[in-house]
């Protein structure tokens, strides 16, 4: 089996600027959910020569990864919101519970009228890795792609005000250690920026309460 074909490249759109002094609604972030199927193939690791994928070098999804990936993606979301001058905090009421799958009801979550609540669910992850050094599974280069489904809730009853799907991708041509998370983090950051670049999201956050 040959190394998988190049993945879809997603351009990062520029988030719509929030001028200094602009009044924006505070944001509660529900920890990001990662919803892949059990045993779903989400990546491959090729070996030299030619980045051939040998039996056993495919990455199959396991539920125990959900918590780790969700926490890391949530950190990326908070970072990108802060960079774009949004005020955002994690909804502490969900951190110790089962979290919030995009599409789940958030009516039970206290949501002051002036706030909005962001829920996100990563529904697709694809990772291509090539290990140029034999028997070294950590040192690699590669590319990644992912798709995120967003639901934005607003109002005292936490109604769904906006639903969006964004994508992200990343590619690194020089080998480095620990590249798996670098690729996934970069791809998710692109997905977040494409959310922040959407005029409907911008209007909801900056519009009248």
């Amino acid at each position: 089996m040959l190394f998988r074909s190049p993945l879809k490249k997603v351009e990062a759109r520029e988030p719509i600027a929030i001028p200094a002094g602009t009044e924006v609604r505070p944001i509660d972030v529900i920890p990001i959910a990662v919803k892949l199927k059990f045993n779903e193939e989400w990546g491959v690791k090729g070996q030299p020569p030619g980045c051939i994928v040998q039996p056993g070098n495919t990455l199959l999804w396991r539920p125990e990864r959900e918590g780790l990936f969700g926490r890391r993606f949530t950190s990326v979301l908070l970072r990108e919101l802060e960079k774009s001058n949004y005020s955002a905090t994690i909804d502490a009421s969900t951190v110790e519970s089962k979290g919030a799958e995009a599409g789940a009801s958030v009516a039970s979550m206290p949501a002051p009228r002036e706030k909005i609540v962001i829920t996100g669910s990563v529904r697709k992850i694809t990772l291509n890795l090539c290990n140029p050094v034999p028997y070294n599974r950590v040192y690699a280069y590669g590319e990644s792609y992912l798709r995120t489904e967003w639901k934005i809730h607003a109002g005292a009853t936490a109604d769904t005000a906006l639903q969006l799907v964004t994508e992200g991708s990343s590619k690194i041509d020089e080998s480095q250690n620990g590249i798996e998370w670098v690729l996934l983090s970069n791809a998710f950051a692109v997905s977040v920026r494409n959310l922040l670049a959407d005029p409907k999201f911008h209007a909801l956050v900056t519009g009248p309460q």
Side-chain angles (χ1 to χ4, degrees), residues 7-8 10 69 73 122-127 144-148 150 165-170 181 183-192:
L7 302 180
K8 178 179 180 181
V10 180
F69 277 46
F73 286 147
V122 176
R123 296 286 181 168
K124 180 70 175 178
I125 298 176
T126 310
L127 187 69
S144 63
Y145 164 86
L146 57 76
R147 183 177 70 247
T148 313
W150 304 96
V165 176
T166 62
E167 300 172 298
S169 67
S170 177
W181 177 243
L183 287 167
L184 294 176
S185 175
N186 291 348
F188 186 71
V190 171
S191 187
V192 173

Side-chain angles (χ1 to χ4, degrees), residues 29-37 66 70 74 94-95 97-107 109 117-123 148-153 160 163:
V29 170
I30 306 301
I32 297 297
V34 182
K35 295 299 176 182
L36 303 185
K37 296 178 181 178
E66 291 179 11
T74 301
T94 66
V95 171
S97 67
K98 64 181 180 180
E101 174 184 355
S105 171
V106 295
M109 303 175 191
V117 179
I118 297 179
T119 64
S121 180
V122 176
R123 296 286 181 168
T148 313
E149 295 180 1
W150 304 96
K151 286 194 175 184
I152 317 300
H153 307 269
T160 301
Q163 298 184 57

Side-chain angles (χ1 to χ4, degrees), residues 21-78:
T22 301
E23 187 172 341
V24 297
R25 300 169 72 170
I27 296 172
D28 274 351
V29 170
I30 306 301
I32 297 297
V34 182
K35 295 299 176 182
L36 303 185
K37 296 178 181 178
F38 178 75
N39 257 4
E40 177 179 342
E41 182 184 309
W42 63 279
V44 295
K45 290 187 175 183
Q47 300 287 337
C51 279
I52 302 297
V53 179
Q54 303 291 347
N57 282 2
T58 56
L59 301 175
L60 303 179
W61 185 253
R62 296 290 188 270
E64 55 265 28
R65 284 183 173 266
E66 291 179 11
L68 175 62
F69 277 46
R71 289 190 297 272
R72 288 180 167 179
F73 286 147
T74 301
S75 296
V76 173
L77 172 58
L78 290 170

Side-chain angles (χ1 to χ4, degrees), residues 17-20 22 24 79-88 196:
I18 304 292
T22 301
V24 297
R79 182 190 69 205
E80 293 299 324
L81 286 167
E82 182 180 5
K83 285 166 58 177
S84 294
N85 295 326
Y86 289 104
S87 174
L196 304 185

